[in-house]
């Protein structure tokens, strides 16, 4: 299969008031000492393999109760839900997505989430929940809104110059060799203990139902190859715009299995990415139409996990 991972250039959101405000929020979160301490503690605990996790059954029951109270959940091809450790790779439309997946995946094996650090730890109630539940590997990375602000400042928007400087000074990029190696050690340790991983290979939130943000990040392929763990693709449908009792669909794909390779080469990694991309695109809807119905609690639910 010919590689298509470079077909879609990375685009930044338009520089609207909302984009700029989100970038300002991101800087504030990056400078929050309590959030930074919680992120550092979570990483150290995960790397040491010393997390005292809440029961998978309890976590699943709590999340399932919340999710099913707020939304109508539809699971397609439930027979494909893995009962043994796997790497769950899903498209990403909303910050609720990892919790939506956890509400439907088995309680055992225990699934850990690779998720955006500042989004996960930006509020006190999230920090409290995650401290109790565990199972989160925070990824420190720059947001697309922040990249848009930096690009705007470089293009001559003098009103964005200070914000762009603040972003470059305070927001961690998360792409150093040391950081990537640390994440790999954490992930391989999780698989070695018989647990699973949830990650979003797009690396950022999408904005359109039925589309992927390309190219996919290499992490999913590297983690799967180095551990010999199967990748299970999942299409999340309907979560881009949330409101009370909306139908959200989880469409599970067939497991993708690749030969174990402790030092995968670029060609091997690209083969995995191509197959994963094709599998996700095949699962996503081709003609999604947003329901025309009352959208109660829309603003609240869409911002609840921001």
């Amino acid at each position: 299969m010919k590689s298509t991972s470079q077909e879609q250039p990375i685009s930044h959101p338009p520089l609207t008031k909302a984009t700029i405000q989100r970038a300002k929020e991101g800087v504030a979160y990056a400078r929050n000492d309590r959030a930074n301490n919680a992120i550092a503690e979570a990483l150290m605990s995960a790397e040491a393999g010393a997390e005292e996790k809440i029961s998978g059954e309890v976590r699943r029951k709590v999340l399932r109760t919340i999710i099913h109270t707020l939304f109508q959940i539809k699971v397609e091809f439930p027979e494909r839900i893995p009962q043994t450790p796997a790497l769950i790779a899903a498209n990403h439309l909303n910050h609720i997505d990892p919790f939506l997946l956890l509400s439907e995946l088995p309680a055992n094996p225990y699934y850990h989430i690779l998720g955006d650090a500042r989004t996960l730890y930006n509020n006190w109630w999230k920090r409290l929940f995650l401290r109790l539940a565990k199972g989160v590997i925070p990824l420190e990375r720059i947001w697309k809104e922040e990249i848009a602000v930096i690009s705007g400042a470089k293009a001559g928007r003098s009103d964005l110059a200070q914000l762009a400087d603040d972003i470059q000074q305070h927001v961690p990029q998360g792409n150093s060799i040391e950081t990537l190696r640390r994440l790999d050690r954490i992930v391989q340790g999780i698989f070695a203990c018989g647990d699973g991983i949830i990650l979003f290979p797009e690396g950022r939130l999408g904005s359109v139902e039925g589309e992927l943000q390309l190219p996919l990040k290499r992490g999913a392929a590297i983690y799967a190859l180095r551990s010999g763990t199967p990748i299970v693709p999942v299409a999340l449908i309907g979560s881009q715009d949330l409101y009370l009792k909306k139908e959200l669909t989880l469409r599970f794909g067939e497991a993708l299995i690749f030969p174990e390779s402790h030092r995968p080469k670029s060609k091997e990694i690209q083969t995995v990415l191509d197959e994963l991309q094709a599998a996700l695109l095949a699962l996503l809807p081709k003609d999604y139409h947003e329901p025309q119905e009352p959208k109660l609690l829309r603003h609240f639910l869409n911002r609840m996990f921001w």
Side-chain angles (χ1 to χ4, degrees):
M1 175 180 171
K2 185 178 178 181
S3 172
T4 56
S5 61
Q6 300 298 324
E7 288 180 356
Q8 181 180 330
I10 296 175
S11 59
H12 309 314
L15 278 171
T16 62
K17 289 183 179 180
T19 298
I20 296 170
Q21 178 59 33
R22 183 63 172 161
K24 290 179 179 178
E25 292 173 355
V27 172
Y29 299 152
R31 301 179 71 174
N32 185 309
D33 289 339
R34 290 184 178 178
N36 288 329
N37 290 338
I39 291 167
E41 181 182 327
L43 283 169
M44 285 191 295
S45 180
E47 189 172 19
E51 287 190 314
E52 295 182 2
K53 305 185 294 290
I54 192 174
S55 159
E57 291 286 354
V58 172
R59 183 179 67 169
R60 185 176 188 268
K61 184 175 182 179
V62 170
L63 288 173
R64 192 175 179 86
T65 299
I66 295 171
I67 296 293
H68 282 247
T69 298
L70 295 173
F71 309 104
Q72 300 180 65
I73 305 302
K74 180 180 180 183
V75 178
E76 295 184 358
F77 306 109
E79 69 276 8
R80 297 174 178 172
I81 296 176
Q83 303 301 313
T84 55
L87 189 157
I88 305 296
N91 62 307
H92 200 11
L93 293 165
N94 196 292
H95 295 303
I96 201 174
D97 292 342
F99 305 103
L100 176 61
L101 284 162
L102 286 174
S103 72
E104 301 303 323
L105 288 168
N108 186 28
Y110 195 94
Y111 277 91
H112 300 249
I113 306 166
L114 267 76
D116 181 79
R118 285 179 290 159
T119 301
L120 288 167
Y121 289 90
N122 58 5
N123 290 321
W124 69 267
W125 66 268
K126 292 184 189 178
R127 293 194 289 272
L128 177 61
F129 175 79
L130 294 174
R131 181 183 290 273
L132 295 173
K134 306 294 185 180
V136 171
I137 302 106
L139 303 177
E140 295 185 303
R141 58 191 178 193
I142 192 167
W143 292 351
K144 59 184 179 181
E145 292 88 352
E146 293 163 339
I147 296 174
V149 166
I150 292 172
S151 298
K154 289 180 178 178
R157 285 282 300 270
S158 58
D159 59 313
L160 298 177
Q162 184 59 57
L163 179 56
D165 287 344
D166 289 342
I167 292 168
Q168 292 173 316
Q169 180 178 351
H170 298 290
V171 172
Q173 299 284 322
N175 57 359
S176 69
I177 295 297
E178 180 182 353
T179 297
L180 296 176
R181 286 176 176 170
R182 185 183 196 187
L183 287 172
D184 183 69
R185 288 195 299 271
I186 291 171
V187 171
Q188 299 308 323
I190 287 169
F191 286 139
C193 290
D195 289 343
I197 290 284
I198 295 171
L199 58 72
F200 302 95
E202 293 168 285
R204 59 196 185 278
L205 285 178
S207 57
V208 180
E209 292 277 358
E211 293 186 7
L212 283 180
Q213 302 289 306
L214 301 174
L216 300 180
K217 302 298 183 183
R218 291 159 50 93
I222 293 172
Y223 299 150
L225 285 169
R226 280 177 46 77
S227 64
T229 302
I231 300 177
V232 176
V234 184
L236 301 179
I237 304 166
S239 66
Q240 197 275 325
D241 186 22
L242 299 176
Y243 52 87
L244 188 63
K245 295 303 180 182
K246 185 180 186 182
E247 182 176 275
L248 307 180
T249 299
L250 295 84
R251 184 177 292 161
F252 284 83
E254 297 279 3
L256 306 176
I257 302 174
F258 304 92
E260 186 173 343
S261 177
H262 294 293
R263 293 187 177 182
K265 298 177 181 177
S266 295
K267 186 176 180 180
E268 294 175 284
I269 294 169
Q270 192 58 56
T271 296
V272 175
L273 291 176
D274 288 342
E275 291 198 30
L276 175 58
Q277 178 180 320
L280 286 170
L281 288 172
L283 291 169
L284 289 170
K286 303 297 185 292
D287 56 350
Y288 180 85
H289 296 287
E290 193 65 33
Q292 299 300 310
E293 57 188 357
K295 299 186 177 182
L296 301 176
L297 299 181
R298 182 184 187 187
H299 179 75
F300 169 75
L301 291 174
N302 279 309
R303 292 190 62 89
M304 181 169 62
F305 289 96
W306 272 38

